[in-house]
Amino acid sequence: MKKIIAVLALSVAFVSCNQNNTVPAKDFKTAYIDTSKLMEESTEAKDIEAKYKDKAAQMDVKLQSEASRLKSEQSSFQANMQKNGEAWAKQKYMELQQREQQLQYAQQGMLQQLQGESGKEMDSLVKKYKQIFKEYGKEKGYDYIYGTGDAATVLYAKDSYDITKELIKLVNSKYVDEKDKPVAKKEEEEKK
């Protein structure tokens, strides 16, 4: 009997504490951002992606020229194998295999380097955007701003709560402003 009274008393205390501290859900101002769409339409994200596509293309050109040289030597090896004897063939075969392996390691190294560099830039961009969202939320009086997209945290929301377009415009305008700042600083330094 004492246990039932104690549980009942705790339940009443818990409910009364919760009633004093809760705010009805209707009083919250919420919105959401389609993060996938934001990243697709963000000028800065597009610039980062293009930068690393260019770097990858440049690295690929280097690798392709080295690969074609290796292929040429392998063809030459096939033609000269019988002329130069078995000892030469074994030695040259080992050299060609070693170069092919080095080429594969170089390719893997370049890919890892590109992934690391682009990953750091994208992480930095995401942190920057989170700060922009936080400032925007405070400025507009939002209690919550949710994210949808690849890592969906919102399963359903009315379209009227979607502020993605507003934030795409905001992040793109901030990026344009940031890009213009270094040009203005350079012009000032040149005048001096």
Side-chain angles (χ1 to χ4, degrees):
M1 183 72 169
K2 288 183 181 179
K3 287 182 181 179
I4 294 173
I5 293 174
V7 169
L8 188 59
L10 282 173
S11 298
V12 170
F14 181 75
V15 169
S16 67
C17 286
N18 278 345
Q19 286 178 350
N20 294 337
N21 294 331
T22 59
V23 177
K26 292 180 181 178
D27 292 345
F28 286 115
K29 184 175 179 183
T30 63
Y32 72 93
I33 302 165
D34 184 338
T35 53
S36 295
K37 187 174 181 180
L38 174 77
M39 294 307 277
E40 287 172 10
E41 296 183 25
S42 161
T43 305
E44 189 169 5
K46 288 178 186 177
D47 286 351
I48 291 170
E49 186 178 330
K51 173 183 170 181
Y52 286 99
K53 277 186 180 178
D54 289 346
K55 278 188 173 187
Q58 290 170 0
M59 289 178 172
D60 190 46
V61 167
K62 289 179 185 177
L63 288 172
Q64 289 301 324
S65 68
E66 187 64 32
S68 65
R69 272 192 297 241
L70 180 62
K71 208 172 219 176
S72 173
E73 283 187 43
Q74 287 172 336
S75 295
S76 175
F77 167 73
Q78 294 290 334
N80 294 321
M81 193 166 58
Q82 290 181 355
K83 290 180 193 174
N84 296 326
E86 189 177 329
W88 177 87
K90 284 182 181 178
Q91 175 70 27
K92 190 67 174 174
Y93 180 76
M94 295 293 281
E95 288 175 18
L96 291 173
Q97 273 193 321
Q98 187 177 21
R99 285 191 45 215
E100 187 174 6
Q101 192 173 32
Q102 287 172 343
L103 189 61
Q104 289 173 349
Y105 288 146
Q107 183 180 23
Q108 289 172 350
M110 288 178 180
L111 285 173
Q112 287 175 344
Q113 178 187 352
L114 283 176
Q115 288 173 344
E117 290 175 8
S118 67
K120 284 180 184 177
E121 278 197 60
M122 291 306 282
D123 288 347
S124 175
L125 181 64
V126 167
K127 284 181 185 176
K128 176 181 169 182
Y129 283 0
K130 283 182 180 179
Q131 185 60 38
I132 290 171
F133 303 157
K134 187 176 182 178
E135 292 169 4
Y136 182 86
K138 285 181 182 178
E139 179 184 313
K140 300 291 183 176
Y142 286 104
D143 294 298
Y144 297 99
I145 297 179
Y146 302 99
T148 65
D150 293 336
T153 55
V154 175
L155 299 176
Y156 170 77
K158 289 182 181 178
D159 289 339
S160 61
Y161 295 125
D162 186 358
I163 59 172
T164 307
K165 288 180 183 177
E166 292 172 49
L167 283 160
I168 289 170
K169 288 178 187 174
L170 178 65
V171 298
N172 286 341
S173 69
K174 284 184 179 268
Y175 177 61
V176 168
D177 290 346
E178 288 174 5
K179 276 179 88 173
D180 291 341
K181 284 181 184 178
V183 173
K185 287 181 182 178
K186 286 181 184 176
E187 289 174 359
E188 287 178 22
E189 289 174 7
E190 290 174 0
K191 289 180 183 178
K192 292 179 181 179

